[in-house]
Amino acid sequence: MLTLKVMKILALHSNFIEYEPIEKEISDAEDAQKSKVRVDDLVVAFIAVEQEDDDIIASKAVEDIRSWLEKVKCNRLMLYPYAHLSSNLADAKSALRIINAIDSMLRKGNDVVVYRAPFGWTKAFTLSIKGHPLAEHSIHISNSSSKSTTTVAVVSQALQKEERLVSKWYILEPNGNRIPLQEYNFNGNERLKALADYEVKKRREVDEEPPHVRLMKRLAIADYEPASDAGNLRFYPKGRLIKSLIEQYVTRKVIEYGAVEVETPIMYDTKHPSLASYFNRFPARQYMIESEGKEFFLRFAACFGQFLMAKDFTISYKHLPLRIYELTRYSFRKEKSGELVGLRRLRAFTMPDCHALCKDIEQAKQEMIRRLELSKEVINELGIGLDNVEMAIRVTSDFYNENKEFIVELVKRFGKPALIEEWSERFFYFVLKWEFNFIDNLVKASALSTDQIDVENGSRYGIVFVDEQGNRRNPIILHNSPSGAVERVIYALLEKNARLQREGKVPMLPLWLSATQVRLIPVNDSYMQYCIDLMQRIEGNQIRVDIDDREESVSKRIRDAELEWIPYIIVVGEKEILAKDTVTVRVRGVGMKNMSIDELIREIRDKVKDKPFMPLNMPKYISMRPNIMV
């Protein structure tokens, strides 16, 4: 919720609230019975009265509450004193007087049925929020104005169900053995055990800072932005270059796989019938905004735009599977603040999002196998490696029982045992979802690659194709990101390297993702022209080169280059001049090597293979760069 100056009210359109007074917190607490109270189909108004609040503010609060009740077409209201909305609370007597005033004014006219939770008590409560996009609303009132906004944390029905659903857990081995989780022997497979523990407990909050945060700052990749909403980061030149290279690589791989690339809007009308119903089938919290009297939400994936676009296509069964791709810069999710940390979980992120329209389940299964292989290749080529991820599959009981061989094939192709979460009923729009999960140094799991079999949205969005008999049918839709969010890829790379450091190994990014691939260090100014000529020769072969021309000792400049994880470092002095075409190169993770310039170029080109290239996006001379390392 936003930080506000005066009275704060959080209004929740609810299926029910059930509370029980436990004990008095203050001597001025109202009288109450220690018994459970339940009220159905109502708006619950959590209220915090602050020091500046008076009768004028109370009157304005009543106006806003009445307006909201009318908007959601509900005439039942519970006033629920809730001190946790503010750190600037009024004294108890003043707060109770204001709440009583609001209560009295709302009861006038008999058009609102008002309930009261007792003031001054510790209370246990259970709340079920309705699933429509306007179910949550924040109101903040001052002496000068009354302003209300849709809360920035609208919660879908799917997310509410996900938080309370009961699952059956198994480990499925590549040979087809399915073993109940509690019976599985995890010896030698600690990361899979960590994934299972994380998923079963569903505790997403982070208690300490993961090591990748320190690395993203020290390497000048990214940092928090104090002037923005939490979970929106700033990316420095190195980070922007790394992101761009990953975006280009994944996009190219998806297009080579056969997708058509599109671009769609980032905000959508909450009143659109397809979007309103889909919103409540997707487990995510959303940013809501208002424009010209309409309510919009910021997209949390490319689904909406791609589906609305596909609805307008003329599609034959001959076109299927039809693959549609967009790199969403950005997607938005209003994650809980306790879950936000570094690059692992953000509120604004870049997601490669590829959907495939399929004519039936059999074609969808064949296509999912192909996309699994694509995702395996992408994870390996990004430098994360399949040995560093674990597979989870979430599936309904019906789909599992009817498609056992297919699900075993997924695990067999992954090559390691996978965690299975089985649901007795379908809560979401998909019947099966698989994920590649990275386990970080705090033993938290984060999904990277994923794919889903969606059996609802073809119909929901009115997407049709004409089958072999000339009938109009809705396609099955697959939802795939071959890499996961681009920011999370960087997180996984940094966490992987933090682990290598802890094990006494040399950390390094993949060569093609290193901002500077070759660093030249002249012993003194007399060797600068040689370095410049050498830089031009090397960079002419699509290799990023810079020169550390600072007035620092050679040893300090070497040390700084190593702290930046520069893959190739060349100190240029008299020996290099005399040797002409041969240089001594510090190769990260290998040691010193004598190489000709052509050998150096050939080795780098062989290692980066066909990966995307972008020129250095910083001054080539280190002395010209601002110091942005934290």
Side-chain angles (χ1 to χ4, degrees):
M1 194 158 173
L2 297 176
T3 301
L4 309 171
K5 294 182 179 179
V6 289
M7 182 181 285
K8 300 182 178 75
I9 302 175
L10 178 61
L12 306 175
H13 193 193
S14 306
N15 296 308
F16 71 87
I17 183 171
E18 184 175 273
Y19 72 85
E20 180 179 8
I22 304 300
E23 61 180 349
K24 289 185 178 182
E25 289 184 329
I26 58 175
S27 59
D28 293 321
E30 295 179 291
D31 292 333
Q33 297 293 323
K34 291 186 177 181
S35 59
K36 288 185 179 180
V37 176
R38 177 182 172 119
V39 182
D40 295 306
D41 194 19
L42 77 166
V43 168
V44 181
F46 290 95
I47 299 180
V49 181
E50 298 192 318
Q51 293 179 14
E52 300 87 350
D53 296 345
D54 55 19
D55 291 337
I56 296 175
I57 290 177
S59 179
K60 290 182 177 181
V62 170
E63 291 177 11
D64 246 333
I65 291 172
R66 284 184 177 278
S67 174
W68 188 248
L69 289 170
E70 183 178 347
K71 194 168 188 177
V72 297
K73 295 180 174 57
C74 180
N75 71 337
R76 294 156 61 84
L77 175 78
M78 175 171 288
L79 297 176
Y80 197 112
Y82 200 67
H84 304 290
L85 294 178
S86 173
S87 59
N88 184 36
L89 294 170
D91 63 85
K93 289 183 178 179
S94 298
L96 182 55
R97 185 183 65 80
I98 292 294
I99 290 173
N100 283 333
I102 293 172
D103 186 338
S104 178
M105 285 184 277
L106 283 167
R107 292 177 188 271
K108 290 180 180 179
N110 297 318
D111 57 331
V112 178
V113 179
V114 181
Y115 302 87
R116 277 283 301 279
F119 177 85
W121 284 76
T122 297
K123 300 179 288 290
F125 72 87
T126 301
L127 182 71
S128 171
I129 305 170
K130 291 183 182 291
H132 61 77
L134 305 181
E136 301 190 16
H137 180 68
S138 64
I139 303 171
H140 46 285
I141 305 111
S142 69
N143 283 316
S144 59
S145 66
S146 172
K147 179 183 179 182
S148 65
T149 62
T150 304
T151 183
V152 292
V154 175
V155 183
S156 70
Q157 290 175 351
L159 190 65
Q160 295 173 47
K161 290 178 179 178
E162 183 184 41
E163 290 177 346
R164 62 176 185 264
L165 64 82
V166 177
S167 305
K168 293 181 181 179
W169 299 91
Y170 303 91
I171 298 298
L172 182 61
E173 297 181 323
N175 62 9
N177 289 338
R178 188 175 75 155
I179 304 167
L181 186 61
Q182 65 273 17
E183 299 175 14
Y184 188 74
N185 183 353
F186 285 99
N187 287 343
N189 207 337
E190 285 73 22
R191 289 181 189 167
L192 181 60
K193 183 179 188 304
L195 173 63
D197 290 344
Y198 178 81
E199 291 297 344
V200 170
K201 294 176 182 177
K202 296 188 183 297
R203 188 175 182 275
R204 310 309 193 206
E205 294 81 1
V206 176
D207 298 321
E208 61 181 285
E209 184 177 85
H212 85 272
V213 175
R214 172 181 55 83
L215 290 176
M216 78 180 190
K217 294 179 180 181
R218 188 176 65 72
L219 294 170
I221 290 173
D223 200 354
Y224 298 111
E225 176 50 74
S228 183
D229 182 37
N232 291 264
L233 301 191
R234 60 168 69 152
F235 284 84
Y236 299 121
K238 286 183 186 175
R240 179 58 243 163
L241 180 61
I242 293 169
K243 281 189 68 178
S244 182
L245 289 167
I246 294 171
E247 291 165 5
Q248 290 182 51
Y249 169 72
V250 177
T251 297
R252 192 186 73 203
K253 295 305 294 185
V254 176
I255 290 174
E256 288 174 354
Y257 145 74
V260 294
E261 187 178 12
V262 300
E263 183 175 338
T264 60
I266 67 167
M267 68 175 68
Y268 294 87
D269 188 347
T270 60
K271 296 295 193 301
H272 188 285
S274 298
L275 300 182
S277 59
Y278 180 53
F279 175 91
N280 283 301
R281 302 295 281 167
F282 195 99
R285 295 173 178 86
Q286 289 320 117
Y287 282 96
M288 309 296 291
I289 61 175
E290 189 172 313
S291 177
E292 297 182 352
K294 291 185 177 182
E295 301 278 355
F296 293 85
F297 64 91
L298 299 182
R299 70 179 177 192
F300 41 87
C303 308
F304 326 115
Q306 291 188 19
F307 296 167
L308 291 168
M309 185 181 291
K311 176 183 180 297
D312 295 332
F313 291 173
T314 300
I315 306 172
S316 162
Y317 70 94
K318 296 178 182 179
H319 301 133
L320 303 183
L322 177 60
R323 304 146 185 141
I324 309 173
Y325 169 76
E326 180 177 3
L327 180 77
T328 65
R329 190 187 302 123
Y330 286 97
S331 292
F332 300 87
R333 299 185 189 179
K334 187 63 172 64
E335 305 286 13
K336 294 179 180 178
S337 58
E339 299 175 357
L340 297 171
V341 57
L343 294 161
R344 174 177 176 263
R345 191 178 291 271
L346 299 172
R347 289 178 174 168
F349 54 93
T350 307
M351 177 64 79
D353 207 348
C354 182
H355 296 90
L357 311 184
C358 302
K359 67 178 183 179
D360 52 29
I361 286 291
E362 288 306 312
Q363 187 178 74
K365 292 189 312 188
Q366 294 172 17
E367 189 69 7
M368 180 171 270
I369 292 290
R370 183 174 180 182
R371 290 147 76 91
L372 176 71
E373 294 298 332
L374 169 66
S375 299
K376 286 167 55 180
E377 179 184 0
V378 167
I379 287 297
N380 278 326
E381 292 299 311
L382 286 171
I384 297 170
L386 284 176
D387 56 334
N388 286 297
V389 298
E390 302 296 334
M391 188 181 210
I393 297 176
R394 309 174 199 283
V395 61
T396 64
S397 297
D398 287 347
F399 190 84
Y400 183 89
N401 292 331
E402 294 169 5
N403 299 275
K404 288 181 183 178
E405 291 184 5
F406 165 68
I407 296 171
V408 170
E409 180 66 18
L410 291 176
V411 177
K412 183 177 180 181
R413 286 175 178 264
F414 178 60
K416 296 189 292 182
L419 176 68
I420 303 293
E421 181 179 15
E422 185 178 317
W423 299 319
S424 59
E425 58 180 302
R426 179 162 56 86
F427 293 102
F428 311 121
Y429 55 84
F430 53 85
V431 292
L432 179 140
K433 173 183 180 181
W434 66 257
E435 302 166 343
F436 290 164
N437 288 273
F438 180 85
I439 313 299
D440 66 20
N441 291 277
L442 299 185
V443 201
K444 298 291 185 181
S446 298
L448 296 170
S449 314
T450 183
D451 207 358
Q452 306 166 7
I453 299 179
D454 172 357
V455 296
E456 285 187 6
N457 283 306
S459 173
R460 172 176 288 113
Y461 283 83
I463 305 170
V464 297
F465 71 94
V466 179
D467 67 13
E468 294 93 327
Q469 289 74 42
N471 299 316
R472 291 165 61 86
R473 293 171 48 198
N474 302 122
I476 302 295
I477 304 177
L478 301 183
H479 300 235
N480 172 239
S481 179
S483 63
V486 171
E487 294 82 1
R488 191 171 280 184
V489 169
I490 302 174
Y491 141 84
L493 287 171
L494 294 179
E495 285 286 325
K496 174 185 174 181
N497 279 285
R499 185 182 298 144
L500 292 175
Q501 280 185 314
R502 192 177 68 235
E503 295 170 354
K505 300 175 183 177
V506 179
M508 64 183 77
L509 293 174
L511 179 58
W512 68 280
L513 290 176
S514 298
T516 296
Q517 296 167 315
V518 179
R519 166 81 40 94
L520 303 177
I521 302 176
V523 171
N524 56 50
D525 288 347
S526 63
Y527 302 105
M528 268 299 295
Q529 187 57 52
Y530 182 88
C531 283
I532 293 170
D533 294 341
L534 186 56
M535 176 177 67
Q536 292 174 346
R537 179 179 173 183
I538 295 173
E539 69 181 1
N541 290 274
Q542 291 194 329
I543 298 171
R544 290 182 291 276
V545 192
D546 60 23
I547 300 175
D548 191 343
D549 60 333
R550 296 174 300 161
E551 294 182 359
E552 301 282 0
S553 67
V554 171
S555 61
K556 174 173 173 41
R557 285 182 284 167
I558 292 173
R559 185 169 63 253
D560 288 349
E562 290 176 340
L563 288 173
E564 288 186 57
W565 300 0
I566 304 297
Y568 294 88
I569 304 169
I570 302 173
V571 177
V572 175
E574 185 67 21
K575 176 183 174 182
E576 284 66 33
I577 298 294
L578 294 175
K580 295 184 180 179
D581 201 46
T582 301
V583 291
T584 301
V585 185
R586 294 173 182 265
V587 183
R588 188 165 185 81
V590 175
M592 307 295 286
K593 290 178 67 174
N594 290 321
M595 310 173 72
S596 71
I597 303 304
D598 286 341
E599 286 174 336
L600 172 65
I601 292 169
R602 186 161 54 250
E603 178 172 303
I604 294 173
R605 295 303 305 155
D606 287 345
K607 286 183 177 180
V608 300
K609 299 178 183 176
D610 58 348
K611 300 298 190 303
F613 171 79
M614 290 188 66
L616 196 63
N617 61 346
M618 297 175 282
K620 297 175 184 177
Y621 301 97
I622 306 301
S623 65
M624 299 299 295
R625 298 179 189 174
N627 183 11
I628 59 176
M629 293 180 68
V630 180

